[in-house]
Structures are given as C-alpha cells and as structure tokens.
Amino acid sequence: MTISILINSLGGLALILLGMAMMTDGLKTGTGQTIKRLLEKSTGTPLRGISTGFLTTAIAQSSGAITVALIGFVNAGVMSVRQALGVIYGTNIGTTVTAWLVAFLGFGLKIDLLALSLLVVGVTLRLSSERRGRQAIGEALAGFGLFFLGLGILQESLTGLASLTAQSIQPGSDPGQTGSWKVVLLYLSLGLIVTVLTQSSSASIALVLSAAAGGLLNFEAAAAAVIGANLGSTSTAVLAAIKATSNARRLTLGHVVFNILTACVALAILPWLVQLVFLVAGQLELESGMASSLALFHTFFNLMGVLLMLPITGLFAKWLETRFRQADEDLAKPRFIDKTLLSIPTLAEEAIQKELQRFRTLVADNAQQLMQGKRLSGAHRESIESLGNSMEDFFQAMTTQRMPIEDANKIAQLLRVFRYLHESFVCQGQLNKEGIFRWPELNNETALSMTHLRDASLAVASFCADSDNQGDHRRIDQRLLAQFREAYAAAKNLILQQAAAGKISVGQTSDSLDTLSTLRRLIEQLLKGDEVLSSFSTLPLNTSAQDTLAQTSKNP
C-alpha cells in the first residue's frame, strides 16, 4: 500500500512538472512578443517595474522564465539593474497567481472534469490549427490539464498517506507540528530543496498545498515550506548568471538578497503573520479551506517583502553596483568629464582633452591587438564603446550651454577629434566580426605584401597607443601615413593584378578589397585624430557655439 502511494505521488508530481513545462513553453511562445514589449517599455519606475513583473509572470506562469529573460536584457544593456529590480519584486507577487489557481480550481472544483476538459480543448487546438500562435495556446491549455490531472492524483495519494500516518501516531498529536524553530527550519529546507530539484516553485507550492489539504501538514509547517519554495526559486537565476556579465550577476544577487530578507522577516513574525492570515481568511469567507489560506499567506509575505524593499530600491541598486567590479567596467567610466563641468566651459575643455587622450590610447591599443590577430574580449570592446557613448552624451550636453565663441570653437575641434577616433573604432568592429581579424590569405604572392601592410598598420597603432610619446606628432603622423598608404597601394595593386590573371576568384578579390578599404579608413581616421589632438589649435572665430558644434558633428 505504501509503495502504491509513493508511486502515485511521484507520478502526480511528474505530471505537474510536465504540465508546468508545457504550460510555460506554450504561453511564452503564444504571448512572447507581449512579454518582451512589457519588459522593454514598462520599467521606467520601480512601481511600473513591479506591475510589469506581476503581469509577465502571471502570463508566462513562470517567475524563472521571466527572471532569465531579465538577465538577458541586463546582459545586453537594454535594462539597468535598478529597472530590473522592480520587475524582480513583481515576479515574486506574480508567483502567487499559481497558488490561487491551485487553491480555487484544484480544490474548489471537480478536478478530474476540469483537467480532462482542458486536455480536450488544448489537444484539439494543437492538432487542428496550422497557426503557430494557436498551437502554442493549445499546448498551454493541455499543460494546464496535465497540471491539474497531476494535482488530483497527488491529492488522493497524500490524503491516503495522511490517513496511514494518522493511524500510526498517538491521538491528539498534530501532523507537521511546529513547536520549535528546528522543525520550522526543517520544513523550510524541504520546500527549498524540492524547488531547487524541480526548478519550479509553482510545482513545490502545489505539492505543499496538496499535503496541507490532505492533512499531512499543519498550517505553520506548510507556511514554512512555502517560504522555502520562495527561496528556492532564486536557483534558476543563479544558474543562468554563472557565465553572465557583472550587471547580470548583480541582478541575481539582488534577487537572492531580496528573497532572503523577505524570508527572514516572514520567519521572524511567522506566528503573528499566521494569525493575520486566519483573520483575513475568516473575514473574506474563503472557500477551499487550508489551500486558500496558504495562498493568502504566500501573497501576504511577498507583498510584505516588496513594501519593505521598495523605499530603499535606489540605495540597494547603488550597493549592487559596487559588487562584481571588473577592470573593463572601470575602463568604461569617464575619468575626467562629468556633468558638473558643463557650466564651466574652460574646465570642460581641459577635461575633454584628457578624456580624448585616454580614448585615443584605448582605441589605438585595440587596433594594435587587432592587427596582431589576437582574440579580443567582447567585454573590453563594450567598455570602449560605453566610454565613447558617455563622451558623445557629454558633447551633446555641451551644445546646450552658453559660452564664449573661443570656447565653442575649441569644443567643436575636440568633437572633431572624437569623431575621427570613434570612426576608427567602428572600422575595427567591422574587421572583428568573428572575434578575431584575419588578414586576407590569397596565395604566396600576396603574403609578403600583406606582411608589409600589417607592419605599416602596426606602426601607426603602436605609436598612437603610446600615451607617453613626445615630439612633433604632426611630422611623425604624416610619415607613418605615407608609409601606410604606400604599403596599402602595393597590396591593392597586387590583388587586382592577380584577379586579372585569374589567380584568385572574383569573390576573393571583392572580400579582400573591402577588408583593405576598411583598414585604410581605420588607420587614416586614427592618425587624423592623433594629429589634431596633438597640435590643438583654435578654429576661425566666425560662428556661434551651437552652429560650430552642429557643423562639426555632421562633417567629421
């Protein structure tokens, strides 16, 4: 008899997990674009983020799926850690929807009839429709059916187990008695472990609700297990963030800290929180007894956690920013420019010049590694790009400031330098499509020519990357440019000659010439930026600040 109950319980849990997987996959496929738009556009404030997190989790029926999506958005820089924190708060509230569905549909209705009806409708939609969206909705409905079918089997099994247990214990004893903190922590640990193993807090909570409704657990024991399941839900995010960016790891840490703090507060006030739940449940006259009361408890303690964290979200986000710091992130932050300089153009000029010298060194060093065929870190490139974006924003802010015409002309010339260097960096990205730059390899006749071109390119990049270089930059820049152009012309002519002789294909010729053209643009823009930056001079004093800056931004 006991083996039969165990097999039925495991089978019911397996159906619940399979149903949850089908339900989540179907809902994500059928409503994926809606979820994506909500996450991208509705996170401007913490409150909007909470609403978005709640809605998307309710739609997808999986806080884990939404959390993984958030990590992806933060990874890509689409969303900041602070914006994503609000969504994380909302996902915790969104998980309570499943508990309410289980409480009212799983225990308040004839569950077999509900499960089989959903299966019939879901399978019919899945098999009869040719549209992917309807098929996905059908899959989701079938998943709901399997979920409730598994829940019904689990209820029967656990009720039977509770009956056997009641026969083997003394009359008057309390199943799942929570007389000590050791017992509370035991049930909390069980809830956490089951969630980590199943990777589904919804399945764990369904299991807890079934055990409580079947008389296997008393309310406090079940409440502790629900808290544990809530804690275990962070395991999905932790696994997803193992190889993610620092920002994604910060978001995961925020998720874990938020759930731990919520659990600690809930445990500290557990007796009073249970009494509050009983009071409210009595006032609302909720049906389904133990199950609906546990769903109410789950909702209360998640709302409590959000209310505790919401006022300190800003400080929490700032603290998270100090975690998992990497050299590339420090590289991405401007060292000399900030908004306080906007009102003092003279100080801003000096700061911009220093930041440009630093930017030139980074761009040139990146070019040097590119020419040497080294595999470049994506994070390093993103850091340089981020620094460039910060400088561009600063230049844009400068255009709105009133300043003497002399200062305006100097700022415009510095903007010209930035455009040169930024264009060189863009060209590097075009050559570095696969993480590494490969020089055109045509045949032995072109090998020597490519070697000369590589040496000339490296000479330019090495000179510009050395921030300690002194002397006549203009003269050296012109000499390096002449050497490069000579090597470039020789390589280009040789490629064209071999193409005309039929030694290389038309496709090889086109690809090689495109590569050389991009390389020429890279080197020329880098040298122009170096030359103007090193021989800094004023422009003719004949235009306003805004006109000068606007004209320069259009004509690098």
Side-chain angles (χ1 to χ4, degrees), residues 51-109:
S51 302
T52 300
F54 172 78
L55 287 173
T56 52
T57 303
I59 292 171
Q61 281 297 295
S62 172
S63 62
I66 301 303
T67 302
V68 171
L70 282 175
I71 289 174
F73 280 125
V74 172
N75 251 334
V78 175
M79 188 182 295
S80 69
V81 172
R82 181 168 182 173
Q83 287 175 311
L85 276 176
V87 184
I88 289 291
Y89 299 163
T91 60
N92 268 33
I93 301 174
T95 58
T96 63
V97 173
T98 306
W100 285 110
L101 286 174
V102 170
F104 283 120
L105 299 181
F107 294 91
L109 299 174

Side-chain angles (χ1 to χ4, degrees), residues 6 22 29 71 205 209 211 222 229 236 246 343 360 422 433 483 499 535:
L6 177 62
M22 290 178 61
T29 302
I71 289 174
I205 290 172
L209 263 61
T236 305
S246 294
S343 59
R360 177 200 62 187
H422 187 265
K433 293 179 181 178
Q483 291 174 351
S535 56

Side-chain angles (χ1 to χ4, degrees), residues 258 261-262 265-266 301 303-313:
F258 166 58
L261 288 176
T262 302
V265 174
F301 94 81
L303 282 173
M304 176 194 66
V306 172
L307 292 174
L308 286 173
M309 295 299 296
L310 190 58
I312 60 170
T313 296

Side-chain angles (χ1 to χ4, degrees), residues 67 71 85 88-89 91-92 192 227 230-241 248-264 309 316 319-320 324:
T67 302
I71 289 174
L85 276 176
I88 289 291
Y89 299 163
T91 60
N92 268 33
L192 188 152
I227 295 173
N230 208 63
L231 269 177
S233 66
T234 61
S235 62
T236 305
V238 170
L239 292 173
R249 292 178 185 180
R250 290 182 192 116
L251 177 62
T252 302
L253 177 62
H255 188 196
V256 172
V257 170
F258 166 58
N259 279 32
I260 288 176
L261 288 176
T262 302
C264 288
M309 295 299 296
F316 188 34
W319 177 78
L320 289 173
F324 305 110

Side-chain angles (χ1 to χ4, degrees), residues 18-222:
L18 178 60
M20 284 296 302
M22 290 178 61
M23 195 166 38
T24 299
D25 290 343
L27 289 171
K28 282 194 299 182
T29 302
T31 61
Q33 289 302 317
T34 302
I35 292 173
K36 185 174 183 292
R37 284 194 296 270
L38 281 170
L39 288 176
E40 286 179 330
K41 298 181 179 180
S42 304
T43 56
T45 64
L47 285 176
R48 290 180 67 181
I50 291 170
S51 302
T52 300
F54 172 78
L55 287 173
T56 52
T57 303
I59 292 171
Q61 281 297 295
S62 172
S63 62
I66 301 303
T67 302
V68 171
L70 282 175
I71 289 174
F73 280 125
V74 172
N75 251 334
V78 175
M79 188 182 295
S80 69
V81 172
R82 181 168 182 173
Q83 287 175 311
L85 276 176
V87 184
I88 289 291
Y89 299 163
T91 60
N92 268 33
I93 301 174
T95 58
T96 63
V97 173
T98 306
W100 285 110
L101 286 174
V102 170
F104 283 120
L105 299 181
F107 294 91
L109 299 174
K110 189 171 177 56
I111 196 167
D112 290 344
L113 180 62
L114 172 66
L116 293 174
S117 300
L118 288 171
L119 271 172
V120 169
V121 175
V123 171
T124 302
L125 268 177
R126 179 68 179 82
L127 297 179
S128 63
S129 178
E130 295 182 358
R131 296 177 60 180
R132 180 57 185 148
R134 288 185 180 178
Q135 290 178 351
I137 296 301
E139 184 178 343
L141 288 174
F144 269 113
L146 288 177
F147 177 86
F148 286 116
L149 191 62
L151 187 64
I153 295 172
L154 191 64
Q155 285 177 33
E156 291 180 8
S157 302
L158 293 178
T159 301
L161 183 61
S163 300
L164 287 178
T165 305
Q167 295 173 10
S168 62
I169 60 178
Q170 296 179 355
S173 61
D174 185 11
Q177 186 175 2
T178 53
S180 71
W181 282 108
K182 290 182 179 179
V183 180
V184 170
L185 293 177
L186 171 64
Y187 285 105
L188 182 142
S189 300
L190 287 174
L192 188 152
I193 291 169
V194 171
T195 303
V196 170
L197 292 176
T198 61
Q199 285 295 291
S200 173
S201 61
S202 296
S204 300
I205 290 172
L207 179 62
V208 172
L209 263 61
S210 299
L216 201 60
L217 295 176
N218 71 9
F219 190 85
E220 286 191 5

